[in-house]
Amino acid sequence: MRIAPDQPSNERTTCPGPTTGLSRTTPLVALSQVPWGEIQDSTGSAAAIPLLLNSVAWGDPDTASAALGDLRKRICQYGFVVEQATAATVPFLWELAQLPQVTCRAEIIQLLRSIACARQWESTAAVYPKLLNHRENPVVWERQARRAVRAKSGALRRLMADDDTEIAHATTELARTLDE
């Protein structure tokens, strides 16, 4: 059907309007791509992980530190027991570790190191092989989490050169762990 020139068209003829203000550097934009409610952390459903990550990203130092502490308990309990949600969380931790406005970057890098060192489930399976027969195989979670840490290790060089010596030291320790 032709539209007369004096009638408005329903087709867009101009460029789209302004975006929502989010830029490519806005942290954590991919959080919604992970089915958090369908995977598990140490408390059960991992549905709270996006809120914790956002608190780490945008919170004041006390809020960010508390959120990271809660996140640590959920994805790397006791500093060496990873969960199903750990591998999905690691890319976001890497992202936050590289953002200067995040107040607990060194602690995030230390958490990444703990995840990279985690071998609790593998060690348990070595003496109790029936663990490998469970429907939810935590050895696989552990390996996926370590792979996720390694997958983003391209950021190590820049983080080791950071002006904050605590960040540089934590990154150096992480790099040593990944070289082992």
Side-chain angles (χ1 to χ4, degrees):
M1 166 180 191
R2 282 186 67 122
I3 298 174
D6 61 332
Q7 292 179 342
S9 169
N10 62 354
E11 293 180 29
R12 180 174 292 203
T13 58
T14 61
C15 295
T19 63
T20 60
L22 297 177
S23 70
R24 289 181 148 191
T25 59
T26 301
L28 308 176
V29 294
L31 274 177
S32 63
Q33 296 176 7
V34 178
W36 297 106
E38 298 172 22
I39 58 178
Q40 301 289 306
D41 65 19
S42 68
T43 66
S45 171
I49 288 179
L51 177 61
L52 293 170
L53 287 166
N54 275 304
S55 294
V56 171
W58 305 109
D60 60 68
D62 290 338
T63 300
S65 182
L68 185 63
D70 192 9
L71 187 62
R72 176 184 284 274
K73 290 175 194 168
R74 289 170 175 266
I75 65 165
C76 192
Q77 197 170 27
Y78 312 115
F80 58 86
V81 180
V82 300
E83 300 293 335
Q84 184 182 27
T86 305
T89 307
V90 165
F92 300 107
L93 294 173
W94 271 113
E95 183 180 352
L96 294 175
Q98 297 175 70
L99 298 174
Q101 73 269 20
V102 175
T103 60
C104 53
R105 294 168 59 209
E107 292 85 358
I108 293 169
I109 296 165
Q110 291 165 354
L111 175 54
L112 288 168
R113 182 174 181 263
S114 294
I115 294 166
C117 289
R119 303 247 180 327
Q120 176 66 28
W121 295 117
E122 281 184 359
S123 300
T124 302
V127 293
Y128 186 67
K130 288 183 180 182
L131 180 66
L132 299 172
N133 297 331
H134 289 184
R135 184 175 60 98
E136 295 178 351
N137 188 336
V139 175
V140 171
W141 303 342
E142 200 170 66
R143 290 176 182 158
Q144 289 172 337
R146 286 197 310 267
R147 263 188 252 122
V149 173
R150 286 187 184 286
K152 300 289 184 174
S153 63
L156 288 172
R157 184 167 302 192
R158 190 166 57 88
L159 287 168
M160 282 190 283
D162 198 281
D163 291 336
D164 184 322
T165 57
E166 191 177 1
I167 291 169
H169 176 72
T171 306
T172 301
E173 292 300 312
L174 174 57
R176 285 186 187 136
T177 297
L178 295 177
D179 282 345
E180 294 174 351

